[in-house]
Amino acid sequence: MNFYAHHIGDYLTATAHLTWLEDAAYRRLLDLYYSREQMIPADLAQACRLVRATSKDERKAVETVLMEFFTESPEGW
């Protein structure tokens, strides 16, 4: 998918509580999800690698965002 609607007001309302790192993780996870048009891998290490989360804090942000905004299944997020 080359395009998805991003409503800034809705996004800001839903994410105002996120830290800077969590917000960056969420945007990268959204981009990954829509660009690949498939689920985010269930394996946290693999998901982190795909969104370039390398530090401990970045990986924690990815985990936090996945748990809050995505639904986990055996196949992925």
Side-chain angles (χ1 to χ4, degrees):
M1 174 181 288
N2 295 317
F3 172 82
Y4 66 92
H6 177 76
H7 300 280
I8 295 169
D10 293 339
Y11 180 86
L12 291 175
T13 299
T15 61
H17 64 287
L18 298 179
T19 67
W20 192 90
L21 281 179
E22 290 166 348
D23 182 62
Y26 190 31
R27 290 305 308 264
R28 286 188 178 192
L29 287 164
L30 287 172
D31 288 348
L32 175 67
Y33 180 78
Y34 284 111
S35 68
R36 292 170 44 127
E37 295 185 346
Q38 57 184 271
M39 298 179 94
I40 296 165
D43 179 63
L44 182 60
Q46 187 178 5
C48 286
R49 183 177 184 279
L50 290 171
V51 295
R52 302 177 313 277
T54 56
S55 74
K56 180 181 176 183
D57 289 340
E58 290 168 350
R59 291 189 303 268
K60 179 62 179 163
V62 168
E63 181 179 25
T64 298
V65 168
L66 284 171
M67 292 178 68
E68 182 172 350
F69 293 99
F70 293 83
T71 302
E72 186 176 17
S73 77
E75 296 82 32
W77 294 92

